[in-house]
Amino acid sequence: MIEVEAPRIAQKALAGQFIILRVDEAGERIPLTIAWTDRERGAVAVIFQVVGGTTMALNEKRAGDFLADFVGPLGNPTEVGNVKRAVVVGGGVGCAVALPVARRLRESGAKVTSVIGFRSREFVILEEEFRACSDEAIVTTDDGSYGIQGNVCVPLRRLAEEEQIDAVYTSGPLVMMKFVAEATKPFNIRTIASMNPIMIDGTGMCGCCRVTVGGEMKFACVDGPDFDAHLIDFDEAISRNRSYLAFEAGEREKHCNLFKKEGK
Amino acid sequence: MYNKRETKYPMPVQDPLVRNQNFKEVALGYDGETAKLEAQRCLNCKNRPCMGGCPVSVRIPEFILKIAEGDFDEAYRIISESSSLPAVCGRVCPQERQCEGACIRGIKGEPVAIGGLERFAADYHFAHANSVGRPLSNGHSVAVVGSGPAGLSCAGELAGMGYEVTVFEALHVAGGVLSYGIPEFRLPKEIVRREVENLKDLGVKIETDSVIGRLYSVEELKTELGFEAVFLGTGAGLPRFMGIKGENAKGVFSANEYLTRANLMMAYEEDSRTPIFRGRRTAVVGGGNVAMDAARTAKRLGAERVFIVYRRGMEELPARKEEVRHAVEEGIELKLLTNPVEVLTDAEKNAVGLKCVEMELGSPDADGRRRPVVKEGSEFTMDVDCIIMALGTSPNPLLRQTSEGLATSKNGGILTDENGMTSLDGVFAGGDAVTGSATVILAMGAGKKAARAIDRYISRSFS
């Protein structure tokens, strides 16, 4: 997690929106979701997972350092409408997206249950924050080392069986969101997934972030990032997100080797 | 002094088989002596058909006469009265359809190399001139949205009149399509940078990383930030796709994505951290300048074979003639009268081939071009692993979605009156955002025209 001083963005950002940053002049542009903003301090917080060279470089930044670019807020804010009973489902770093949505729903008067899932105890993040803004917060871990054992769908199904839910908001790994969509489908609950595809400009220009929704091509940056989860072609999205896997692995190695050299 | 030579003095270029391995500029430009000789080919005729062919009416015979006389600075001054980006236009304008297409010398032999001479004057000026002074502020401020050709020329024109201009750019570099789209080997980024520096010298402020429609709405530019007028030059950035099966497979890109990664993000440089897909065999679908740029970029990034797949014939290729010639010289293969119908994929959804049909030209359609029709039973498969869609672009939807009351046409273009003013008071627009994808010079012309209308609007409303 990092907090960035970006007062103009902090003023305007709403739940569900994201930013694009570059760490340095030779860096790539990566989209990251806004976890929270502090308007008074002009701060914008983003949470990220180290996957490639850019996130590794970002991870090395210390308080007081600078980033080359920080652009936003991008994407359409999450619509909470007049939802009275909502379940917010976050997985891993995707919880950063889910948190402001839970807050926004709570502020608009909805009863909110948050279900946040992680691989195991050591990866649990934002638990306190979710507890603070939810009527109920449920933690799951795949290995059962903390909270309920299993994935987020276990408590989600139980909730759906127990009461009438107006909407489910989900963000996290694509596979998880796919399962969430499958879990809510039989109950016919409106389910909104926040997509986080590969992206360059974030303004509708590159077409890299295209997602098939209900058989139509949509651009996550200008049409989303929220879409009806029951209409998203998740298998295609999963495949597209793997476009540069080999390159990222190479970057990690390069980066680590450099690191070794510096260490000597 | 008139030079009777019937052909243009050839502009030196990098050898095709050397240049298709590097990203340095292909055409190297005239030296002073050759420029003078070429300029002396101009008849300086009374009718000036070349000027009629120029969308911004550069006083062509006059600047050419100055080059012939060796007064290169004066030549530049004459061009810059009409054009804000001469170094760019000399390089990227489709001269054969504009000034040079109308040149009398072209009737018997080749036209005068007007584009080459314009480029020479601009490059000479940048190499020798000192910066011009900053005009006195008139105390009025204008916001320009987008720093492409339309925005830059509008900003330049307004700054020259004494306006305090702030340009908002969504990306981290100014220049719009000149930076992200047109490759280094055709338009070196140094030239774009110089043009932008020129504007800064005039007092123009450039705010990069600022997405209008998100960070501030158009309305807020006026109410919150206090600009008296706004110019929207947001371009036509939204890429089109064909809607065929397999188009979302890995290995299929919009030309915008591919070129942005290569140009703006400099994926071609060894130490760049930007990933780019290096296809073994690449097919580029489309026949415009962007298609040629993408194909030549793919070749430079190491593709064994690169194809242009275009549904009409050689005559109909919309790209500049010079670009087609350069592409072919560099080993790009043209698959004309060919139309893709499906992207073939493997189990992991990687593109592994492009199924196409052959076309033939039928009767002319509404715009007078002969409509391609499918040849029965002509289906065949191209062995490619990278497919780049260069099918044109639509106006960017962001402002349309986020500006209440901004009237747009059915295809998304911003509607304007004859002065370039939109349905919002004091908000003007021009370039591809209004017309859909067109040329640099037309966008520049629109930016300039809007600047004059903004000047009239502000004089009327605020003084």
Side-chain angles (χ1 to χ4, degrees):
Chain A
M1 201 273 295
I2 53 164
E3 250 193 345
V4 180
E5 186 183 343
R8 295 195 307 181
I9 300 173
Q11 274 317 309
K12 302 282 176 178
L14 295 169
Q17 291 190 298
F18 59 94
I19 56 91
I20 282 181
L21 63 77
R22 279 198 321 158
V23 176
D24 51 46
E25 284 302 322
E28 61 172 337
R29 298 167 63 97
I30 58 161
L32 292 173
T33 305
I34 298 167
W36 66 76
T37 54
D38 185 325
R39 291 196 175 166
E40 268 171 36
R41 288 190 298 123
V44 176
V46 290
I47 296 186
F48 59 94
Q49 190 174 16
V50 175
V51 284
T54 301
T55 39
M56 286 187 128
L58 188 58
N59 203 31
E60 285 157 24
K61 291 285 173 193
R62 297 290 165 257
D65 287 355
F66 289 88
L67 297 174
D69 302 275
F70 198 74
V71 193
L74 298 168
N76 296 308
T78 299
E79 280 177 30
V80 294
N82 51 359
V83 171
K84 295 276 168 274
R85 178 71 182 102
V87 178
V88 175
V89 183
V93 289
C95 289
V97 192
L99 180 66
V101 174
R103 281 187 179 148
R104 179 98 190 274
L105 282 160
R106 186 69 176 282
E107 282 161 17
S108 72
K111 184 182 172 201
V112 179
T113 299
S114 297
V115 180
I116 50 175
F118 306 91
R119 262 184 290 162
S120 71
R121 181 179 201 125
E122 67 205 271
F123 297 106
V124 175
I125 53 167
L126 301 174
E127 185 188 350
E128 281 318 305
E129 287 83 350
F130 273 102
R131 290 205 186 284
C133 68
S134 315
D135 294 272
E136 181 190 16
I138 302 168
V139 181
T140 69
T141 51
D142 295 345
D143 62 2
S145 55
Y146 189 72
I148 296 174
Q149 177 174 10
N151 66 35
V152 289
C153 294
V154 178
L156 177 62
R157 270 199 209 90
R158 182 177 53 75
L159 286 163
E161 277 160 12
E162 283 169 1
E163 56 183 313
Q164 179 68 37
I165 293 163
D166 298 330
V168 170
Y169 294 83
T170 182
S171 57
L174 288 165
V175 182
M176 184 205 81
M177 294 200 286
K178 180 186 171 184
F179 287 138
V180 167
E182 282 170 8
T184 58
K185 186 107 212 245
F187 299 98
N188 215 7
I189 303 169
R190 191 157 73 91
T191 303
I192 296 108
S194 173
M195 302 296 276
N196 189 9
I198 301 172
M199 204 176 268
I200 304 177
D201 61 299
T203 64
M205 199 191 80
C206 73
C208 180
C209 66
R210 59 195 192 269
V211 179
T212 303
V213 182
E216 272 182 56
M217 186 187 288
K218 298 282 181 192
F219 290 174
C221 60
V222 286
D223 300 319
D226 291 354
F227 295 105
D228 182 339
H230 295 146
L231 299 179
I232 294 171
D233 184 341
F234 279 107
D235 293 334
E236 178 187 279
I238 289 166
S239 157
R240 288 188 58 75
N241 250 25
R242 291 184 181 143
S243 296
Y244 297 103
L245 267 194
F247 186 95
E248 292 300 352
E251 279 296 297
R252 273 200 302 274
E253 264 169 39
K254 259 202 285 188
H255 204 85
C256 291
N257 286 338
L258 282 174
F259 224 44
K260 278 178 218 153
K261 272 183 223 154
E262 277 170 19
K264 275 173 196 171
Chain B
M1 178 160 86
Y2 173 58
N3 182 340
K4 285 187 181 147
R5 185 184 156 113
E6 286 192 356
T7 54
K8 291 177 184 176
Y9 285 83
M11 186 181 288
V13 292
Q14 275 195 73
D15 181 78
L17 298 180
V18 173
R19 73 184 189 231
N20 72 9
Q21 312 285 321
N22 70 44
F23 277 83
K24 293 190 196 117
E25 189 168 22
V26 167
L28 304 170
Y30 287 131
D31 57 49
E33 277 315 301
T34 320
K36 270 198 227 170
L37 289 169
E38 180 63 32
Q40 286 160 9
R41 292 186 58 234
C42 175
L43 285 167
N44 208 349
C45 56
K46 283 274 169 298
N47 293 337
R48 307 179 157 201
C50 50
M51 270 188 76
C54 176
V56 296
S57 308
V58 169
R59 281 157 38 215
I60 294 165
E62 292 172 41
F63 95 74
I64 289 183
L65 182 63
K66 289 298 162 192
I67 292 181
E69 291 170 2
D71 189 351
F72 305 144
D73 283 320
E74 182 59 14
Y76 176 82
R77 201 196 55 75
I78 293 170
I79 301 170
S80 62
E81 274 179 13
S82 324
S83 163
S84 330
L85 309 165
V88 174
C89 292
R91 286 170 167 86
V92 305
C93 267
Q95 286 96 3
E96 74 268 15
R97 283 202 293 276
Q98 299 176 352
C99 51
E100 293 183 22
C103 175
I104 297 287
R105 293 294 317 256
I107 297 170
K108 185 167 173 259
E110 286 182 344
V112 176
I114 301 169
L117 291 174
E118 179 183 23
R119 169 189 165 151
F120 168 77
D123 289 355
Y124 178 88
H125 170 80
F126 278 119
H128 296 89
N130 302 319
S131 90
V132 286
R134 186 177 294 204
L136 224 53
S137 166
N138 66 10
H140 295 280
S141 65
V142 179
V144 170
V145 182
S147 67
L152 291 182
S153 71
C154 184
E157 193 75 10
L158 286 168
M161 294 186 244
Y163 285 92
E164 288 174 14
V165 184
T166 304
V167 179
F168 293 93
E169 165 57 46
L171 292 170
H172 56 270
V173 186
V177 72
L178 307 176
S179 287
Y180 74 73
I182 304 176
E184 180 75 17
F185 56 81
R186 196 148 77 83
L187 177 66
K189 297 302 147 263
E190 178 56 24
I191 287 169
V192 182
R193 208 188 53 77
R194 267 182 349 211
E195 298 280 16
V196 172
E197 285 306 314
N198 238 8
L199 290 186
K200 287 188 188 163
D201 287 344
L202 285 173
V204 174
K205 282 194 211 102
I206 308 230
E207 298 253 7
T208 53
D209 290 340
S210 301
V211 183
I212 301 307
R214 298 279 191 217
L215 187 61
Y216 300 109
S217 68
V218 172
E219 188 59 29
E220 284 167 345
L221 288 175
K222 296 170 75 186
T223 54
E224 229 174 86
L225 302 185
F227 291 103
E228 290 163 345
V230 179
F231 175 75
L232 307 176
T234 46
L238 197 76
R240 289 196 202 122
F241 288 88
M242 295 190 79
I244 59 174
K245 199 173 161 216
E247 209 169 11
N248 291 345
K250 282 174 281 182
V252 185
F253 307 93
S254 75
N256 265 4
E257 175 181 358
Y258 192 76
L259 290 173
T260 299
R261 285 180 185 278
N263 301 328
L264 180 76
M265 305 306 297
M266 298 181 290
Y268 65 86
E269 287 186 354
E270 278 291 310
D271 62 344
S272 169
R273 280 205 301 273
T274 301
I276 193 158
F277 187 85
R278 289 173 193 254
R280 183 179 52 87
R281 292 161 65 108
T282 299
V284 179
V285 184
N289 289 323
V290 175
M292 300 300 150
D293 288 346
R296 297 166 72 191
T297 298
K299 189 81 189 175
R300 283 163 172 76
L301 288 172
E304 285 165 27
R305 293 180 73 179
V306 180
F307 307 92
I308 289 277
V309 179
Y310 179 58
R311 64 197 184 119
R312 298 179 204 234
M314 191 74 181
E315 283 306 301
E316 287 79 19
L317 275 173
R320 292 175 84 213
K321 273 205 183 112
E322 189 187 4
E323 307 311 326
V324 179
R325 194 180 71 236
H326 281 164
V328 171
E329 284 171 5
E330 288 167 16
I332 310 298
E333 300 167 58
L334 304 181
K335 282 273 184 197
L336 302 172
L337 291 164
T338 302
N339 203 31
V341 289
E342 183 185 346
V343 176
L344 303 175
T345 55
D346 64 10
E348 269 85 52
K349 294 195 179 157
N350 293 301
V352 291
L354 188 62
K355 198 192 272 182
C356 298
V357 287
E358 289 176 26
M359 311 294 281
E360 49 197 357
L361 292 179
S363 43
D365 60 12
D367 62 3
R369 290 201 299 178
R370 292 177 67 195
R371 204 164 56 89
V373 285
V374 179
K375 234 192 245 179
E376 282 299 321
S378 62
E379 209 169 270
F380 69 102
T381 299
M382 292 177 70
D383 169 24
V384 291
D385 60 347
C386 178
I387 297 152
I388 299 168
M389 297 295 177
L391 307 158
T393 50
S394 313
N396 194 299
L398 201 53
L399 289 180
R400 187 169 75 225
Q401 289 170 358
T402 57
S403 312
E404 209 179 318
L406 183 67
T408 53
S409 71
K410 206 166 64 209
N411 36 24
I414 300 171
L415 294 173
T416 57
D417 65 14
E418 67 280 5
N419 292 317
M421 186 145 95
T422 68
S423 55
L424 301 173
D425 183 52
V427 179
F428 296 74
D432 285 5
V434 170
T435 58
S437 47
T439 58
V440 168
I441 184 87
L442 283 170
M444 235 186 61
K448 205 173 162 93
K449 195 174 148 205
R452 297 197 189 114
I454 288 170
D455 179 46
R456 288 195 298 273
Y457 168 83
I458 290 183
S459 316
R460 204 170 55 230
S461 315
F462 294 90
S463 47

